């Protein structure tokens, strides 16, 4: 399974092992620019950027959305700004792209440091929720 990572963060080791792939550097830079919004924006801005992200992955993957190297693309993973995700999801689904969100298991680790207990949360990739 090949899932294209369309978030601002690199895939974790667990995600990479499950078939999630990061975009090449030049496409990742373009994606991050499209995912970064000014303080104020409109619905039209969201829709325009969603279409631009579709064009970006089409340019990278080709007409049939085959992700390099020679893998068929099974879907994309999105995540980020809450007001943008429904618009991005709807746009990509309308273009025939399978859209998913990462599911994580939160593991808590307690460590004693200098007589104090420090709690650390670790997020472990647990699969995907597919919107369509």
């Amino acid at each position: 399974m090949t899932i294209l990572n369309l978030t601002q963060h690199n895939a974790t080791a667990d995600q990479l092992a499950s078939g999630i792939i990061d975009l090449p550097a030049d496409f990742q830079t373009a994606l991050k620019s499209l995912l970064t919004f000014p303080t104020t924006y409109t619905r039209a801005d969201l829709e325009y950027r969603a279409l631009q992200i579709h064009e970006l992955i089409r340019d990278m993957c080709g007409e049939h959305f085959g992700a390099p190297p020679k893998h068929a693309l099974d879907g994309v993973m999105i995540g980020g700004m809450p007001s943008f995700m429904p618009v991005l999801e709807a746009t990509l689904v309308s273009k025939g792209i399978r859209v998913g969100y990462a599911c994580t298991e939160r593991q808590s680790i307690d460590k004693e440091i200098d007589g104090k207990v420090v709690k650390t949360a670790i997020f472990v990739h647990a699969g995907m929720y597919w919107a369509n």
Side-chain angles (χ1 to χ4, degrees), residues 15-41:
Q15 290 173 330
L16 292 170
S18 71
I20 295 169
I21 60 171
D22 291 321
L23 288 112
D26 54 336
F27 286 96
Q28 199 169 54
T29 298
L31 175 68
K32 286 180 181 181
S33 176
L34 291 168
L35 291 174
T36 304
F37 285 83
T39 305
T40 59
Y41 50 87

Side-chain angles (χ1 to χ4, degrees), residues 30 38-39 51 76 79 81 100 104 116 125 129:
T39 305
L51 288 170
V76 297
M81 189 172 84
T104 57
K116 298 177 184 175
H125 182 69
Y129 163 77

